[in-house]
Amino acid sequence: MAARDYGQYCGVTRALELVGERWTLLIVRDLLVGPRRYGELAAGLPRIPSNILAARLKELQEAGLIRRAPRSRVIVYELTPYGRELEPVVLALGAWGFKAMGDPRESQVITPDSMTMALRTAFRADVAGTLPSTAYVARLGPAELHVRVDGTRLDVRRGVAPADLDFAAGPDIRRLISGELAPERAIASGVVEVLHGPGELLGRFASTFHLAA
């Protein structure tokens, strides 16, 4: 019997055999943001040993969840259509786990890909559809993201682009997008610093990404 063969005939069992190993879903999480080179995956998961990353990528390829593809003279890893079907699963896990998150420990990091998926997890299309199209530049520790909300569409990319609101936030950004902390209190307490643009747009941002139960 294989190491990850639970010996049960069940869809949940088979899913765990495919993606239940440590680091696997985090690799999938980052690839849901976009194709990545091996080095980019390693940089986004700074604690993963190189042999484990190589092993997980090989396993995901053999399972038909990812593939290697040439892009501009380099090889990248990307999700197959079968692998992309994991997106609602990953988002649901993120929403479930988000509610139990405390403040980050000193050793924990925020990466652009992890924050991108956090924003996707928290996105409320029903609320966003009622608000004007707005762009934000969010600086969250070392992660800097350009966030555009246009109707029910969310586009999150790395790097700075023209935006209606430019703000920097500390670790307690979790409290803002979860609805625990009102935007005006976030500004007053220094959790969020508005660098450019009208502060009321922060309220629009918070309501668009509200995860309160």
Side-chain angles (χ1 to χ4, degrees):
M1 184 178 294
R4 285 178 293 151
D5 186 343
Y6 292 101
Q8 295 184 17
Y9 187 70
C10 164
V12 174
T13 301
R14 185 58 183 144
L16 287 174
E17 290 170 350
L18 291 173
V19 298
E21 288 289 326
R22 191 180 185 195
W23 297 107
T24 300
L25 275 181
L26 294 183
I27 294 171
V28 171
R29 178 202 66 187
D30 287 2
L31 291 178
L32 282 168
V33 178
R36 294 286 181 266
R37 291 177 292 179
Y38 181 93
E40 291 172 327
L41 287 170
L45 300 168
R47 288 192 176 184
I48 190 171
S50 58
N51 63 317
I52 297 297
L53 176 57
R56 295 294 178 264
L57 291 172
K58 181 179 179 181
E59 292 163 0
L60 287 168
Q61 287 181 81
E62 291 174 349
L65 299 176
I66 69 172
R67 62 190 168 210
R68 285 161 50 94
R71 293 284 177 87
S72 302
R73 300 181 181 178
V74 299
I75 298 296
V76 299
Y77 293 89
E78 63 182 12
L79 291 168
T80 63
Y82 181 43
R84 189 155 287 281
E85 289 177 15
L86 284 166
E87 182 166 13
V89 177
V90 173
L91 292 179
L93 274 174
W96 184 72
F98 197 96
K99 295 181 174 71
M101 284 175 65
D103 293 332
R105 297 187 297 276
E106 185 176 343
S107 60
Q108 292 181 315
V109 299
I110 298 174
T111 67
D113 285 347
S114 69
M115 198 63 214
T116 296
M117 291 305 293
L119 290 172
R120 286 187 187 176
T121 298
F123 183 57
R124 299 178 66 195
D126 57 329
V127 174
T130 66
L131 298 173
S133 176
T134 311
Y136 312 85
V137 170
R139 302 178 185 177
L140 311 163
E144 192 168 87
L145 300 175
H146 177 226
V147 184
R148 175 170 290 279
V149 179
D150 187 2
T152 60
R153 189 173 69 86
L154 170 67
D155 184 20
V156 184
R157 301 182 184 181
R158 297 189 189 191
V160 176
D164 297 329
L165 175 67
D166 185 356
F167 67 91
D172 273 347
I173 185 65
R174 171 189 66 84
R175 299 176 63 202
L176 176 68
I177 66 175
S178 70
E180 292 179 36
L181 193 65
E184 59 273 12
R185 289 184 59 195
I187 296 174
S189 63
V191 169
V192 174
E193 178 186 1
V194 178
L195 304 175
H196 174 74
E200 63 266 20
L201 288 181
L202 197 60
R204 186 181 299 170
F205 178 89
S207 63
T208 302
F209 294 93
H210 190 180
L211 259 182

